[in-house]
Amino acid sequence: RWSLPMAMSITHRGTGVALSLGVSVFGLAALLLPEQYPHYLAVLKSLSLGPALICSAKFALAFPFTYHTWNGIRHLV
């Protein structure tokens, strides 16, 4: 039977893995891609993505970090 602490622990581990993979991929991309960051930012801006997609992407990037941080602080307390 699922309990809240068990679900929070699994989510904490999942967000930790996602953050590790994200930082590793970003760092590897920074080393291997030929252009600098401003070039890729300009390409992203030229796609003219809608505000709903941009907000969803921001949430998808911010949620693992905030959940993992606050759950770690909760665990330490």
Side-chain angles (χ1 to χ4, degrees):
R1 187 167 173 223
W2 284 81
S3 64
L4 183 61
M6 182 172 54
M8 290 177 73
S9 176
I10 291 169
T11 307
H12 184 78
R13 290 172 192 230
T15 56
V17 169
L19 289 169
S20 293
L21 289 174
V23 167
S24 298
V25 167
F26 185 77
L28 192 60
L31 288 173
L32 297 178
L33 290 174
E35 296 291 332
Q36 296 294 321
Y37 176 74
H39 169 74
Y40 296 110
L41 186 60
V43 169
L44 190 62
K45 285 182 180 181
S46 71
L47 294 175
S48 299
L49 302 172
L53 186 59
I54 291 173
C55 286
S56 298
K58 286 180 182 181
F59 178 79
L61 290 172
F63 175 75
F65 178 75
T66 55
Y67 180 83
H68 193 79
T69 300
W70 287 110
N71 194 44
I73 291 170
R74 181 198 61 85
H75 178 72
L76 289 174
V77 169

